[in-house]
Amino acid sequence: LKKNLIYKATVTTKKETMNYIGSTGGPFKTRWYGHIKDLKVYKENGTQLSKYIWKLKNSNTEYTINWNILHHFGEVKNPQRICMTCAHEKLEIANANKKTSLNRRSELVCTCIHFKKTLF
């Protein structure tokens, strides 16, 4: 039930291991359930993780997913001009191995969805 964290999903097949880095301002459990739902029902605008898993499912490739929490920031009490959750997520994506990362480089310029919630 931890909030404001960066997580990593590692998808392993017999041929390769791919990583997806994500963040959530809410409880990780809620975000995890969202990912699991996307893996059961295909969405055109799903995450890169769900698109990759659906590609594996369509080709009948066996896979496993391991979830890890990379950073936990706790409760945001004094929001600053920079969201630490988004800043660290972008740093993790930028430092990730491009060959094994499912994240797109365009995610580095996304606006923060967590910062708006803390202002109101």
Side-chain angles (χ1 to χ4, degrees):
L1 297 176
K2 294 181 179 182
K3 296 180 180 181
N4 295 319
L5 54 87
I6 312 285
Y7 60 89
K8 179 178 173 181
T10 304
V11 182
T12 307
T13 66
K14 290 182 180 181
K15 294 182 180 180
E16 63 185 0
T17 299
M18 301 296 283
N19 298 304
Y20 175 82
I21 297 170
S23 68
T24 181
F28 172 71
K29 188 175 183 179
T30 304
R31 184 67 193 109
W32 180 75
Y33 280 129
H35 280 297
I36 298 303
K37 184 179 177 184
D38 288 347
L39 301 182
K40 291 180 181 178
V41 179
Y42 179 76
K43 289 184 179 179
E44 185 76 26
N45 61 345
T47 63
Q48 292 299 316
L49 175 63
S50 67
K51 289 177 184 178
Y52 179 70
I53 295 298
W54 277 102
K55 180 180 154 188
L56 294 176
K57 284 183 176 185
N58 290 334
S59 65
N60 293 324
T61 305
E62 292 185 26
Y63 65 90
T64 58
I65 304 176
N66 293 318
W67 301 86
N68 295 310
I69 294 176
L70 300 177
H71 302 284
H72 177 232
F73 300 102
E75 202 64 39
V76 178
K77 295 181 181 173
N78 296 323
Q80 304 297 320
R81 303 194 110 219
I82 298 173
C83 174
M84 295 307 292
T85 306
C86 289
H88 279 82
E89 177 189 20
K90 291 175 184 180
L91 185 64
E92 288 289 338
I93 292 171
N95 289 332
N97 183 345
K98 294 177 188 176
K99 294 179 182 177
T100 62
S101 179
L102 294 172
N103 296 86
R104 295 179 306 201
R105 303 306 276 177
S106 62
E107 293 179 45
L108 298 175
V109 293
C110 296
T111 58
C112 172
I113 60 170
H114 313 111
F115 188 62
K116 293 176 186 175
K117 293 178 184 177
T118 59
L119 292 177
F120 299 107

